Amino acid sequence: GHAWKAKALYNLFEDRLQLVAAYAKYTTDTRGDSHDLYFDIDYKPTGWAKGLTLRDRMERSDGGADNLNPGNEYFLYNRVMIDYKF
C-alpha cells in the first residue's frame, strides 16, 4: 500500500498558539482505502508553566474495511493531550 499527507499550520502570539489542519489518505491491500481529516489547537504557555503544551485534536477517520473503524462507518473523536518538558 501507500499513503500521503498534507498539512497546513499557522502560528500566533510568538508561536505560543498553533493552529493545524491536516488530511491523510491511506491505500492498503488488507484494510482498503481510508482517509483522516484533523484539526489541532496547540497552546504553549509562558512563565511558571513554561514547558507545558496543551493540545486539542478533533479528527474524523473514514473508509477502510474489516472494521478499521467501528462498524466500517466514519469515526469522529476529540482528544486532549498534555505534555510537559522538564
Coordinates of all heavy atoms in Angstrom, one line a residue:
G1 N 0.8 -1.2 0.0 CA 0.0 0.0 0.0 C 0.9 1.3 0.0 O 2.1 1.2 0.0
H2 N 0.2 2.4 0.1 CA 0.9 3.6 0.2 C 0.0 4.7 0.9 O -1.2 4.4 1.1 CB 1.3 4.1 -1.2 CG 0.1 4.4 -2.1 ND1 -0.5 3.4 -2.8 CD2 -0.5 5.6 -2.4 CE1 -1.5 4.0 -3.5 NE2 -1.5 5.2 -3.3
A3 N 0.6 5.8 1.2 CA -0.1 6.8 2.0 C 0.5 8.2 1.6 O 1.7 8.3 1.2 CB 0.0 6.6 3.5
W4 N -0.3 9.2 1.8 CA 0.3 10.6 1.7 C -0.5 11.5 2.7 O -1.6 11.1 3.1 CB 0.2 11.1 0.2 CG -1.2 11.2 -0.3 CD1 -1.9 10.3 -1.0 CD2 -2.1 12.3 -0.2 NE1 -3.1 10.7 -1.4 CE2 -3.3 12.0 -0.9 CE3 -2.0 13.6 0.4 CZ2 -4.4 12.9 -1.0 CZ3 -3.1 14.5 0.3 CH2 -4.2 14.1 -0.4
K5 N 0.1 12.6 3.0 CA -0.4 13.5 4.0 C -0.1 14.9 3.6 O 1.0 15.2 3.1 CB 0.1 13.2 5.4 CG -0.4 14.1 6.5 CD 0.2 13.6 7.8 CE -0.4 14.3 9.0 NZ 0.2 13.9 10.2
A6 N -1.1 15.8 3.8 CA -0.9 17.3 3.5 C -1.3 18.0 4.8 O -2.3 17.6 5.5 CB -1.8 17.8 2.4
K7 N -0.4 19.0 5.2 CA -0.7 19.6 6.5 C -0.4 21.1 6.3 O 0.5 21.5 5.6 CB 0.2 19.0 7.5 CG 0.1 19.7 8.9 CD 0.8 18.9 10.0 CE 2.2 19.3 10.2 NZ 2.8 18.6 11.4
A8 N -1.2 22.0 6.9 CA -1.0 23.4 7.0 C -1.1 23.8 8.4 O -1.9 23.3 9.2 CB -2.1 24.1 6.2
L9 N -0.2 24.8 8.8 CA -0.2 25.3 10.2 C 0.0 26.8 10.2 O 0.6 27.4 9.2 CB 0.8 24.6 11.0 CG 2.3 24.6 10.7 CD1 3.0 25.8 11.4 CD2 2.9 23.3 11.1
Y10 N -0.5 27.4 11.2 CA -0.4 28.8 11.4 C 0.0 29.1 12.9 O -0.7 28.6 13.8 CB -1.7 29.5 11.0 CG -1.6 31.0 10.9 CD1 -0.9 31.6 9.9 CD2 -2.1 31.8 11.9 CE1 -0.8 33.0 9.8 CE2 -2.0 33.2 11.8 CZ -1.4 33.8 10.8 OH -1.3 35.1 10.7
N11 N 1.0 29.9 13.1 CA 1.4 30.2 14.5 C 1.0 31.6 14.8 O 1.1 32.5 14.0 CB 3.0 30.1 14.6 CG 3.4 28.7 14.5 OD1 2.9 27.9 15.2 ND2 4.5 28.5 13.7
L12 N 0.5 31.8 16.0 CA 0.1 33.1 16.6 C 0.8 33.4 17.9 O 1.2 32.5 18.6 CB -1.4 33.1 16.8 CG -2.3 32.8 15.6 CD1 -3.7 32.4 16.0 CD2 -2.4 34.1 14.7
F13 N 0.8 34.6 18.3 CA 1.3 35.1 19.6 C 2.7 34.5 19.9 O 2.9 33.8 20.9 CB 0.3 34.6 20.7 CG -1.1 35.1 20.4 CD1 -2.1 34.2 20.2 CD2 -1.4 36.4 20.4 CE1 -3.4 34.5 20.0 CE2 -2.7 36.8 20.1 CZ -3.7 35.9 19.9
E14 N 3.6 34.8 19.0 CA 5.0 34.4 19.1 C 5.2 32.9 19.3 O 5.9 32.4 20.1 CB 5.7 35.2 20.3 CG 5.7 36.7 20.1 CD 6.2 37.4 21.3 OE1 6.4 36.8 22.4 OE2 6.3 38.6 21.2
D15 N 4.4 32.2 18.5 CA 4.5 30.7 18.4 C 3.9 30.0 19.7 O 4.1 28.8 19.9 CB 5.9 30.2 18.2 CG 6.4 30.6 16.8 OD1 5.6 30.9 15.9 OD2 7.6 30.5 16.6
R16 N 3.2 30.8 20.5 CA 2.6 30.1 21.7 C 1.3 29.4 21.3 O 0.8 28.5 22.1 CB 2.4 31.2 22.8 CG 3.6 31.6 23.4 CD 3.4 32.5 24.6 NE 2.1 33.2 24.5 CZ 2.0 34.5 24.7 NH1 3.0 35.2 25.1 NH2 0.8 35.1 24.7
L17 N 0.6 29.9 20.3 CA -0.6 29.2 19.8 C -0.4 28.8 18.4 O 0.0 29.5 17.5 CB -1.8 30.2 19.9 CG -3.2 29.7 19.6 CD1 -3.6 28.6 20.6 CD2 -4.2 30.8 19.5
Q18 N -0.7 27.5 18.1 CA -0.5 26.9 16.8 C -1.8 26.3 16.3 O -2.4 25.5 17.1 CB 0.6 25.9 16.8 CG 0.9 25.3 15.4 CD 2.0 24.3 15.5 OE1 1.9 23.2 16.0 NE2 3.2 24.7 15.0
L19 N -2.3 26.6 15.1 CA -3.4 26.0 14.5 C -3.0 25.1 13.4 O -2.2 25.5 12.6 CB -4.4 27.1 14.0 CG -4.8 28.2 15.0 CD1 -5.6 29.3 14.3 CD2 -5.5 27.6 16.1
V20 N -3.5 23.9 13.3 CA -3.0 22.9 12.4 C -4.3 22.2 11.7 O -5.2 21.9 12.4 CB -2.2 21.8 13.0 CG1 -1.7 20.8 12.0 CG2 -1.0 22.4 13.7
A21 N -4.2 22.0 10.4 CA -5.2 21.3 9.7 C -4.4 20.3 8.8 O -3.4 20.6 8.2 CB -6.1 22.2 8.8
A22 N -4.9 19.0 8.8 CA -4.2 18.0 8.0 C -5.2 17.0 7.4 O -6.3 16.8 8.0 CB -3.2 17.3 8.9
Y23 N -4.8 16.4 6.3 CA -5.5 15.4 5.6 C -4.5 14.3 5.2 O -3.5 14.5 4.7 CB -6.2 15.9 4.3 CG -6.9 14.9 3.6 CD1 -8.2 14.5 3.9 CD2 -6.3 14.3 2.5 CE1 -8.9 13.6 3.2 CE2 -7.0 13.3 1.8 CZ -8.3 13.0 2.1 OH -9.0 12.0 1.4
A24 N -4.9 13.0 5.5 CA -4.1 11.9 5.1 C -4.9 10.9 4.4 O -6.1 10.6 4.7 CB -3.5 11.2 6.4
K25 N -4.4 10.2 3.4 CA -5.0 9.2 2.6 C -4.2 7.9 2.6 O -3.0 8.0 2.4 CB -5.1 9.7 1.1 CG -5.7 8.7 0.1 CD -7.1 8.5 0.3 CE -7.6 7.6 -0.9 NZ -9.0 7.2 -0.7
Y26 N -4.8 6.8 2.9 CA -4.2 5.5 3.0 C -4.8 4.5 2.0 O -6.0 4.4 1.9 CB -4.3 4.9 4.4 CG -4.0 5.9 5.5 CD1 -5.0 6.7 6.2 CD2 -2.7 6.1 5.9 CE1 -4.6 7.6 7.2 CE2 -2.3 7.0 6.9 CZ -3.3 7.7 7.5 OH -3.0 8.6 8.5
T27 N -3.9 3.8 1.3 CA -4.4 2.7 0.4 C -3.6 1.5 0.8 O -2.4 1.5 0.7 CB -4.1 3.1 -1.0 OG1 -4.8 4.3 -1.3 CG2 -4.6 2.0 -2.0
T28 N -4.3 0.5 1.2 CA -3.7 -0.8 1.7 C -4.4 -2.0 1.0 O -5.5 -1.9 0.6 CB -3.7 -1.0 3.2 OG1 -5.1 -1.2 3.6 CG2 -3.2 0.2 3.9
D29 N -3.7 -3.1 1.0 CA -4.3 -4.3 0.4 C -5.2 -5.0 1.5 O -6.2 -5.6 1.1 CB -3.1 -5.3 0.0 CG -2.3 -4.8 -1.1 OD1 -2.9 -4.0 -1.9 OD2 -1.1 -5.2 -1.2
T30 N -4.9 -4.9 2.7 CA -5.6 -5.6 3.8 C -6.8 -4.8 4.4 O -7.8 -5.4 4.8 CB -4.7 -6.0 4.9 OG1 -4.1 -4.9 5.4 CG2 -3.7 -7.0 4.4
R31 N -6.7 -3.4 4.4 CA -7.7 -2.6 5.1 C -8.4 -1.7 4.1 O -9.2 -0.8 4.5 CB -7.1 -1.8 6.2 CG -6.6 -2.6 7.3 CD -7.8 -3.2 8.1 NE -7.3 -3.7 9.4 CZ -8.1 -3.7 10.4 NH1 -9.3 -3.4 10.4 NH2 -7.6 -4.2 11.6
G32 N -8.1 -1.8 2.8 CA -8.8 -0.9 1.8 C -8.3 0.5 1.9 O -7.2 0.8 2.4
D33 N -9.1 1.4 1.3 CA -8.8 2.8 1.3 C -9.5 3.6 2.4 O -10.6 3.3 2.7 CB -9.3 3.5 0.0 CG -8.6 2.9 -1.3 OD1 -7.6 2.2 -1.1 OD2 -9.1 3.1 -2.4
S34 N -8.7 4.4 3.1 CA -9.3 5.2 4.1 C -8.6 6.6 4.1 O -7.6 6.8 3.5 CB -9.1 4.6 5.5 OG -7.7 4.4 5.8
H35 N -9.2 7.5 4.9 CA -8.6 8.9 5.0 C -9.0 9.5 6.3 O -10.0 9.1 7.0 CB -9.0 9.8 3.8 CG -10.5 10.0 3.7 ND1 -11.3 9.1 2.9 CD2 -11.3 10.9 4.2 CE1 -12.5 9.5 3.0 NE2 -12.6 10.6 3.8
D36 N -8.1 10.4 6.8 CA -8.3 11.1 8.0 C -8.2 12.6 7.8 O -7.4 13.1 7.0 CB -7.2 10.8 9.0 CG -7.2 9.3 9.5 OD1 -8.3 8.7 9.4 OD2 -6.2 8.8 9.8
L37 N -9.0 13.3 8.5 CA -9.0 14.8 8.5 C -9.0 15.2 9.9 O -9.8 14.8 10.8 CB -10.3 15.4 7.8 CG -10.5 16.9 7.8 CD1 -9.4 17.5 7.0 CD2 -11.8 17.2 7.3
Y38 N -8.0 16.1 10.3 CA -7.9 16.5 11.7 C -7.5 18.0 11.8 O -6.9 18.6 10.9 CB -7.0 15.6 12.5 CG -5.6 15.7 12.3 CD1 -4.8 16.7 12.9 CD2 -4.9 14.8 11.6 CE1 -3.4 16.8 12.7 CE2 -3.5 14.8 11.4 CZ -2.8 15.8 11.9 OH -1.5 15.9 11.7
F39 N -7.9 18.6 12.9 CA -7.6 19.9 13.3 C -7.0 19.9 14.7 O -7.6 19.3 15.6 CB -8.9 20.8 13.3 CG -9.6 20.8 11.9 CD1 -10.6 20.0 11.6 CD2 -9.1 21.7 10.9 CE1 -11.2 20.0 10.4 CE2 -9.7 21.7 9.7 CZ -10.8 20.9 9.4
D40 N -5.9 20.7 14.9 CA -5.3 20.8 16.2 C -5.2 22.2 16.6 O -5.1 23.1 15.8 CB -3.8 20.3 16.1 CG -3.6 18.8 16.1 OD1 -4.6 18.1 16.2 OD2 -2.5 18.4 16.0
I41 N -5.4 22.4 17.9 CA -5.0 23.7 18.5 C -4.0 23.4 19.6 O -4.3 22.6 20.5 CB -6.3 24.4 19.1 CG1 -7.3 24.6 18.1 CG2 -5.9 25.7 19.8 CD1 -8.7 25.1 18.6
D42 N -2.8 24.0 19.5 CA -1.8 23.8 20.5 C -1.5 25.1 21.2 O -1.4 26.1 20.6 CB -0.5 23.4 19.8 CG -0.5 22.0 19.1 OD1 -1.6 21.4 19.1 OD2 0.6 21.6 18.7
Y43 N -1.4 25.0 22.5 CA -1.1 26.2 23.3 C 0.1 25.9 24.2 O 0.2 24.9 24.9 CB -2.3 26.6 24.2 CG -2.0 27.7 25.1 CD1 -1.7 29.0 24.6 CD2 -2.0 27.6 26.5 CE1 -1.4 30.1 25.4 CE2 -1.7 28.7 27.3 CZ -1.4 29.9 26.8 OH -1.1 31.0 27.6
K44 N 1.1 26.8 24.2 CA 2.3 26.7 25.0 C 2.4 27.9 25.9 O 2.9 29.0 25.4 CB 3.6 26.6 24.1 CG 3.5 25.3 23.2 CD 4.7 25.3 22.2 CE 4.6 24.2 21.3 NZ 5.5 24.2 20.2
P45 N 2.0 27.8 27.1 CA 2.1 29.0 28.0 C 3.5 29.4 28.4 O 4.5 28.6 28.2 CB 1.3 28.6 29.2 CG 1.3 27.1 29.2 CD 1.5 26.7 27.8
T46 N 3.7 30.6 28.9 CA 5.0 31.0 29.3 C 4.9 31.2 30.9 O 3.9 30.9 31.5 CB 5.3 32.4 28.7 OG1 4.3 33.3 29.0 CG2 5.4 32.2 27.2
G47 N 6.0 31.7 31.4 CA 6.0 32.0 32.9 C 6.2 30.7 33.6 O 7.0 29.8 33.2
W48 N 5.5 30.5 34.7 CA 5.7 29.4 35.6 C 5.3 28.1 34.9 O 5.8 27.0 35.3 CB 4.9 29.5 36.9 CG 3.4 29.6 36.7 CD1 2.7 30.7 36.5 CD2 2.6 28.5 36.7 NE1 1.4 30.4 36.4 CE2 1.3 29.0 36.4 CE3 2.7 27.1 36.8 CZ2 0.1 28.2 36.4 CZ3 1.6 26.3 36.7 CH2 0.3 26.8 36.5
A49 N 4.5 28.1 33.8 CA 4.1 26.9 33.1 C 4.9 26.7 31.9 O 4.5 25.8 31.1 CB 2.6 27.0 32.8
K50 N 6.1 27.3 31.7 CA 6.9 27.1 30.6 C 7.3 25.7 30.5 O 7.7 25.0 31.5 CB 8.2 28.0 30.7 CG 9.0 27.9 29.4 CD 10.2 28.9 29.5 CE 11.0 28.7 28.2 NZ 12.1 29.6 28.2
G51 N 7.2 25.1 29.3 CA 7.5 23.7 29.1 C 6.2 22.9 28.9 O 6.3 21.7 28.5
L52 N 5.1 23.5 29.3 CA 3.8 22.8 29.2 C 3.2 23.0 27.8 O 3.3 24.1 27.2 CB 2.8 23.3 30.2 CG 1.4 22.8 30.2 CD1 1.4 21.3 30.6 CD2 0.5 23.6 31.1
T53 N 2.7 22.0 27.2 CA 1.9 22.1 25.9 C 0.6 21.4 26.1 O 0.5 20.3 26.6 CB 2.7 21.4 24.8 OG1 4.0 22.0 24.6 CG2 2.0 21.5 23.5
L54 N -0.5 22.1 25.7 CA -1.8 21.6 25.7 C -2.3 21.5 24.3 O -2.2 22.5 23.5 CB -2.8 22.5 26.5 CG -2.4 22.8 27.9 CD1 -3.3 23.9 28.5 CD2 -2.4 21.6 28.8
R55 N -2.8 20.4 23.9 CA -3.3 20.2 22.5 C -4.7 19.6 22.5 O -4.9 18.6 23.2 CB -2.3 19.3 21.8 CG -2.8 18.9 20.3 CD -1.9 18.0 19.6 NE -0.7 18.6 19.4 CZ 0.4 18.0 19.0 NH1 0.4 16.7 18.7 NH2 1.6 18.6 18.8
D56 N -5.5 20.1 21.7 CA -6.8 19.6 21.5 C -6.9 19.2 20.0 O -6.7 20.0 19.1 CB -7.9 20.6 21.8 CG -9.3 20.0 21.7 OD1 -9.5 18.8 22.0 OD2 -10.2 20.7 21.3
R57 N -7.3 17.9 19.7 CA -7.3 17.4 18.4 C -8.7 16.9 18.1 O -9.2 16.0 18.8 CB -6.3 16.3 18.1 CG -6.5 15.7 16.7 CD -5.4 14.7 16.4 NE -4.2 15.4 16.1 CZ -3.0 14.9 15.8 NH1 -2.9 13.6 15.7 NH2 -2.0 15.6 15.5
M58 N -9.3 17.3 17.0 CA -10.6 16.8 16.5 C -10.3 16.1 15.2 O -9.7 16.7 14.3 CB -11.6 17.9 16.3 CG -12.9 17.5 15.7 SD -13.9 16.4 16.8 CE -14.4 17.6 18.0
E59 N -10.6 14.8 15.2 CA -10.3 14.0 14.0 C -11.5 13.2 13.5 O -12.3 12.7 14.3 CB -9.1 13.1 14.3 CG -8.7 12.3 13.1 CD -7.4 11.5 13.4 OE1 -6.7 11.8 14.5 OE2 -7.0 10.7 12.6
R60 N -11.6 13.1 12.2 CA -12.6 12.2 11.6 C -11.8 11.2 10.7 O -11.1 11.6 9.8 CB -13.5 13.0 10.7 CG -14.6 12.1 10.0 CD -15.5 12.9 9.1 NE -16.2 11.9 8.3 CZ -17.5 12.0 8.1 NH1 -18.2 12.9 8.7 NH2 -18.1 11.1 7.3
S61 N -12.0 10.0 11.0 CA -11.4 8.9 10.2 C -12.6 8.2 9.4 O -13.6 8.0 9.9 CB -10.8 7.9 11.1 OG -10.2 6.8 10.4
D62 N -12.3 8.0 8.1 CA -13.4 7.5 7.3 C -12.8 6.4 6.3 O -11.7 6.5 5.9 CB -14.0 8.6 6.5 CG -15.4 8.4 6.0 OD1 -15.9 7.3 6.2 OD2 -16.0 9.3 5.4
G63 N -13.7 5.5 5.9 CA -13.3 4.4 5.0 C -12.7 3.2 5.6 O -12.8 3.0 6.8
G64 N -12.0 2.4 4.8 CA -11.4 1.2 5.3 C -12.3 0.0 5.2 O -13.5 0.1 4.8
A65 N -11.8 -1.1 5.6 CA -12.5 -2.4 5.6 C -12.2 -3.2 6.8 O -11.2 -2.9 7.5 CB -12.2 -3.1 4.3
D66 N -12.9 -4.3 7.0 CA -12.6 -5.2 8.1 C -12.6 -4.5 9.5 O -11.7 -4.7 10.3 CB -11.2 -6.0 7.9 CG -11.3 -6.8 6.7 OD1 -12.4 -7.4 6.3 OD2 -10.2 -7.0 6.0
N67 N -13.6 -3.6 9.7 CA -13.7 -2.9 10.9 C -12.5 -2.0 11.3 O -12.1 -2.0 12.4 CB -14.1 -3.8 12.1 CG -15.5 -4.3 11.9 OD1 -16.4 -3.5 11.6 ND2 -15.7 -5.6 12.1
L68 N -11.9 -1.4 10.3 CA -10.8 -0.5 10.6 C -11.4 0.6 11.5 O -10.7 1.0 12.5 CB -10.4 0.2 9.3 CG -9.3 1.3 9.4 CD1 -8.0 0.7 10.0 CD2 -9.0 2.0 8.1
N69 N -12.6 1.1 11.3 CA -13.4 1.9 12.2 C -14.6 1.1 12.6 O -15.0 0.2 11.9 CB -13.8 3.2 11.5 CG -12.6 4.1 11.2 OD1 -11.7 4.3 12.0 ND2 -12.7 4.7 10.0
P70 N -15.1 1.4 13.8 CA -16.2 0.6 14.3 C -17.4 0.5 13.3 O -17.8 1.5 12.8 CB -16.6 1.3 15.6 CG -15.4 2.0 16.1 CD -14.7 2.4 14.8
G71 N -17.8 -0.7 13.0 CA -18.9 -0.9 12.0 C -18.6 -0.4 10.6 O -19.5 -0.2 9.8
N72 N -17.3 -0.2 10.3 CA -16.9 0.3 9.0 C -17.6 1.6 8.6 O -17.7 2.0 7.5 CB -17.2 -0.7 7.9 CG -16.2 -1.9 7.9 OD1 -15.1 -1.7 8.3 ND2 -16.7 -3.1 7.7
E73 N -17.9 2.4 9.7 CA -18.5 3.8 9.5 C -17.4 4.8 9.8 O -16.3 4.4 10.2 CB -19.7 4.0 10.5 CG -20.8 3.0 10.2 CD -21.6 3.3 9.0 OE1 -21.6 4.4 8.5 OE2 -22.1 2.3 8.4
Y74 N -17.7 6.0 9.6 CA -16.8 7.1 10.0 C -16.6 7.1 11.5 O -17.5 6.7 12.2 CB -17.1 8.4 9.4 CG -18.3 9.1 10.1 CD1 -18.0 9.9 11.2 CD2 -19.6 9.0 9.7 CE1 -19.0 10.6 11.8 CE2 -20.6 9.7 10.3 CZ -20.3 10.5 11.4 OH -21.3 11.1 12.0
F75 N -15.5 7.6 12.0 CA -15.2 7.6 13.4 C -14.8 9.0 13.7 O -13.8 9.5 13.2 CB -14.1 6.6 13.7 CG -13.8 6.5 15.2 CD1 -14.8 6.0 16.1 CD2 -12.6 6.8 15.7 CE1 -14.5 5.9 17.4 CE2 -12.3 6.6 17.0 CZ -13.2 6.2 17.9
L76 N -15.5 9.7 14.6 CA -15.2 11.1 14.9 C -14.8 11.1 16.4 O -15.5 10.5 17.3 CB -16.4 11.9 14.7 CG -16.3 13.4 15.0 CD1 -15.3 14.1 14.1 CD2 -17.7 14.1 15.0
Y77 N -13.6 11.7 16.7 CA -13.2 11.8 18.1 C -12.4 13.0 18.4 O -11.9 13.7 17.5 CB -12.5 10.5 18.5 CG -11.1 10.3 17.9 CD1 -10.0 10.6 18.5 CD2 -11.1 9.7 16.6 CE1 -8.7 10.4 17.9 CE2 -9.8 9.4 16.0 CZ -8.7 9.8 16.7 OH -7.5 9.5 16.1
N78 N -12.4 13.3 19.6 CA -11.7 14.5 20.1 C -10.8 14.0 21.2 O -11.2 13.3 22.1 CB -12.7 15.5 20.6 CG -12.1 16.8 21.1 OD1 -11.0 17.1 20.7 ND2 -12.8 17.6 21.8
R79 N -9.6 14.5 21.2 CA -8.7 14.1 22.3 C -7.9 15.3 22.8 O -7.5 16.2 22.0 CB -7.7 12.9 21.9 CG -6.8 13.3 20.8 CD -5.9 12.0 20.5 NE -5.0 12.3 19.4 CZ -4.5 11.4 18.6 NH1 -4.8 10.2 18.8 NH2 -3.7 11.8 17.6
V80 N -7.6 15.3 24.0 CA -6.8 16.3 24.6 C -5.5 15.7 25.1 O -5.5 14.7 25.7 CB -7.5 16.9 25.9 CG1 -6.6 17.9 26.6 CG2 -8.8 17.6 25.4
M81 N -4.4 16.4 24.7 CA -3.0 15.9 25.0 C -2.3 16.9 25.9 O -2.4 18.1 25.6 CB -2.2 15.6 23.8 CG -2.9 14.5 22.9 SD -2.2 14.4 21.3 CE -3.5 15.4 20.4
I82 N -1.7 16.4 26.9 CA -0.9 17.3 27.8 C 0.5 16.8 27.8 O 0.8 15.6 28.1 CB -1.5 17.3 29.3 CG1 -3.0 17.7 29.2 CG2 -0.7 18.2 30.2 CD1 -3.7 17.5 30.5
D83 N 1.5 17.7 27.6 CA 2.9 17.3 27.5 C 3.6 18.4 28.4 O 3.3 19.6 28.3 CB 3.3 17.4 26.1 CG 4.8 16.9 25.9 OD1 5.2 16.0 26.6 OD2 5.5 17.6 25.2
Y84 N 4.6 17.9 29.1 CA 5.5 18.8 29.9 C 6.9 18.4 29.7 O 7.3 17.3 29.9 CB 5.1 18.8 31.3 CG 5.8 19.9 32.1 CD1 5.3 21.2 32.1 CD2 7.0 19.6 32.8 CE1 6.0 22.2 32.7 CE2 7.6 20.6 33.5 CZ 7.1 21.9 33.4 OH 7.8 22.9 34.1
K85 N 7.7 19.4 29.2 CA 9.2 19.1 29.1 C 9.9 19.7 30.3 O 9.9 20.9 30.5 CB 9.7 19.8 27.8 CG 9.1 19.2 26.6 CD 9.6 19.9 25.3 CE 8.9 19.3 24.1 NZ 9.3 20.0 22.9
F86 N 10.6 18.8 31.0 CA 11.3 19.3 32.2 C 12.6 19.9 31.9 O 13.2 19.6 30.9 CB 11.5 18.1 33.2 CG 10.2 17.5 33.7 CD1 9.5 16.5 33.1 CD2 9.7 18.1 34.9 CE1 8.4 16.0 33.6 CE2 8.5 17.6 35.4 CZ 7.9 16.6 34.8

